């Protein structure tokens, strides 16, 4: 029996643009088990959102999945389109960075949540509304009956994100993908939303993929981390191993540039340079121009290989690349 909810194997996504083909995902493989929380981290443009869109069947022209496969409970998700429609939006749901663009400004909060419940669960209007009240309470919104009749613009940013999460969990999905769910929020509200996701993981056994460019928010919530760079996963491991002993020089650089809450007077070092363009990505290690440990041996393609309890795509995995460099 397959123990994973979701498995992605060697996924390739291209965007055909006027300037040429953007190779947004270049052989991405990852998996998530029931109830697990996986963080996908990496700089802007590394392919985090495209990975989520590919899972949700949202890659559209000019984009296309050009290789690999996505399996849901062992069955292909992209090939079986009819089955996929049943799974997506019900068993796998997604919460986006900006709830204002995902919520319909012309519909009340209650109507929007009820619509999802009626559509996917076949509830009557009255039963769906009752369930919507329960969901708003579950995501920590006080006075839920009153809130049902309000429009998105009448709510604060944090409350709108809670409504999005309520919609996301309305059909009791097995997997929630949250793409930068707190980036648009201030720090206090951000912490509350992350706490809510952690609670939901415990209470309804939800698996979560948390997409973020901020490593700082990963430690408290996630079990495992996948680090993306230039359309590829360069390291995966447990949160503990990634923070305590990162093996890929890019992961080491990310951690050195992230403030740690419990360390006083720490010296933060940002990674200089920028990622390569994806119109014509290098065939060897994409991090080579920025890597303090890179040399001629890094010119070859670097694939993800088991290393310790995780996996790393670096021929020098495990060296402290930044030791001599700073
Ligand atoms: N519709 C599109 N047309 C052309 N290129 C695209 C399109 N959508 C994404 N891309 C390209 O795919 C690559 C990955 O983009 P993606 O949005 O996944 O990055 P990201 O890691 O989510 O970044 P961010 O942290 O800024 O959200 C980028 O090079 C981006 O320019
Ligand atoms: S393969 Fe070479 S250039 Fe790439 S991360 Fe490893 S050491 Fe650095
Ligand atoms: Mg993104």
């Amino acid at each position: 029996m397959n123990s994973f909810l979701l498995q992605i194997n060697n996924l390739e996504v291209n965007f055909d643009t006027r300037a040429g083909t953007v190779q947004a995902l270049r052989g991405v493989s990852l998996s998530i088990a029931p109830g697990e929380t996986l963080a996908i981290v990496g700089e802007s443009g590394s392919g985090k959102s495209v990975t989520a869109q590919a899972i949700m069947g949202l890659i559209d022209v000019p984009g296309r999945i050009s290789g690999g496969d996505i399996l849901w409970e062992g069955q292909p998700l992209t090939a079986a389109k009819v089955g996929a429609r049943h799974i997506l939006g019900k068993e796998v749901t997604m919460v986006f960075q900006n709830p204002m663009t995902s919520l319909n400004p012309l519909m009340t909060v209650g109507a929007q949540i009820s619509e999802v419940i009626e559509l996917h669960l076949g509830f009557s209007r009255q039963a769906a509304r009752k369930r919507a009240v329960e969901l708003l309470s579950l995501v920590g919104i006080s006075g839920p009956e009153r809130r049902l009749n309000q429009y998105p613009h009448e709510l604060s940013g944090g409350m709108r994100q809670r409504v999005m999460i309520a919609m996301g969990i309305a059909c009791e999905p097995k997997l929630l993908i949250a793409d930068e769910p707190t980036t648009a929020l201030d720090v206090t509200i951000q912490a509350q939303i992350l706490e809510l996701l952690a609670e939901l993981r415990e209470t309804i056994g939800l698996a979560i993929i948390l997409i973020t460019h901020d490593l700082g928010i990963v430690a408290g919530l996630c079990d495992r981390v996948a680090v993306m760079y230039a359309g590829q996963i360069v390291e995966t491991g447990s949160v503990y191993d990634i923070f305590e002993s990162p093996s890929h020089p890019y992961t080491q650089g990310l951690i050195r540039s992230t403030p740690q809450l419990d360390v006083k007077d720490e010296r933060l070092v940002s990674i200089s340079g920028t990622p390569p363009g994806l119109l014509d990505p290098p065939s060897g290690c994409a991090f080579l121009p920025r890597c303090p440990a890179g040399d001629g041996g890094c010119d070859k393609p670097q694939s993800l290989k088991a290393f310790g309890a995780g996996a790393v795509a670096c021929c020098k995995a495990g060296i402290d690349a930044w030791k001599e460099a700073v």
Side-chain angles (χ1 to χ4, degrees):
M1 200 188 121
N2 194 307
S3 59
F4 292 113
L5 269 186
L6 180 81
Q7 265 176 296
I8 298 178
N9 300 314
N10 240 338
L11 193 66
E12 292 180 10
V13 173
N14 291 338
F15 290 92
D16 297 311
T17 69
R18 280 191 187 184
T21 300
V22 177
Q23 297 176 40
L25 296 191
R26 306 186 295 135
V28 165
S29 299
L30 57 83
S31 57
I32 181 162
E36 191 180 30
T37 305
L38 171 75
I40 302 181
V41 301
E43 282 165 298
S44 187
S46 56
K48 306 181 297 293
S49 294
V50 170
T51 302
Q53 288 157 9
I55 297 168
M56 295 303 294
L58 298 175
I59 299 292
D60 219 334
V61 179
R64 62 194 155 89
I65 292 180
S66 48
D69 50 16
I70 304 174
L71 305 179
W72 177 255
E73 296 183 328
Q75 301 299 319
L77 192 57
T78 39
K81 279 277 181 201
V82 177
R85 246 180 265 134
H86 172 72
I87 293 164
L88 298 170
K90 185 171 185 291
E91 298 197 19
V92 190
T93 55
M94 189 159 163
V95 172
F96 297 88
Q97 174 178 340
N98 188 348
M100 215 42 192
T101 54
S102 321
L103 289 168
N104 184 338
L106 303 176
M107 279 170 82
T108 62
V109 164
Q112 296 188 58
I113 304 178
S114 302
E115 191 177 59
V116 175
I117 300 169
E118 286 171 43
L119 179 73
H120 286 293
L121 301 180
F123 278 34
S124 69
R125 181 151 299 177
Q126 208 181 2
R129 219 174 145 78
K130 188 163 168 269
R131 177 79 183 124
V133 171
E134 288 168 9
L135 284 164
L136 287 184
S137 308
L138 190 65
V139 298
I141 291 185
S142 56
E145 282 91 356
R146 183 169 55 87
R147 298 289 181 198
L148 280 190
N149 299 319
Q150 292 188 315
Y151 288 88
H153 74 267
E154 297 178 79
L155 306 179
S156 67
M159 222 176 285
R160 282 197 286 266
Q161 195 55 289
R162 285 177 193 268
V163 170
M164 283 305 301
I165 294 172
M167 283 168 72
I169 60 166
C171 303
E172 297 184 2
K174 294 178 181 169
L175 172 64
L176 179 81
I177 303 174
D179 190 355
E180 308 266 7
T182 61
T183 307
L185 305 173
D186 72 44
V187 178
T188 318
I189 310 291
Q190 175 172 319
Q192 290 170 2
I193 295 290
L194 293 171
E195 213 170 282
L196 170 64
L197 289 176
E199 267 170 39
L200 293 173
R201 186 186 54 176
E202 300 306 319
T203 50
I204 60 176
L206 193 62
I208 299 172
I209 295 181
L210 175 73
I211 293 176
T212 179
H213 62 268
D214 181 359
L215 253 189
I217 70 170
V218 166
L221 181 65
C222 300
D223 303 309
R224 246 176 353 109
V225 183
V227 182
M228 286 196 80
Y229 188 77
Q232 296 176 320
I233 291 183
V234 295
E235 180 163 9
T236 61
S238 70
V239 165
Y240 182 83
D241 286 345
I242 292 284
F243 279 90
E244 285 302 311
S245 53
S247 301
H248 193 285
Y250 176 61
T251 318
Q252 293 170 3
L254 271 186
I255 287 171
R256 293 189 75 111
S257 59
T258 305
Q260 318 270 306
L261 278 178
D262 52 350
V263 181
K264 268 194 191 155
D265 303 327
E266 68 182 321
R267 206 171 137 220
L268 295 178
V269 185
S270 63
I271 308 172
S272 60
T274 51
L278 296 177
L279 277 172
D280 187 19
S283 57
C285 177
F287 192 55
L288 177 56
R290 304 171 77 185
C291 183
D295 60 24
C298 308
D299 252 348
K300 300 178 205 71
Q302 307 290 324
S303 56
L304 208 55
K305 292 194 180 78
F307 187 81
V312 187
C314 168
C315 57
K316 299 191 172 112
I319 54 155
D320 186 352
W322 301 85
K323 204 170 179 176
E324 306 293 327
V326 290

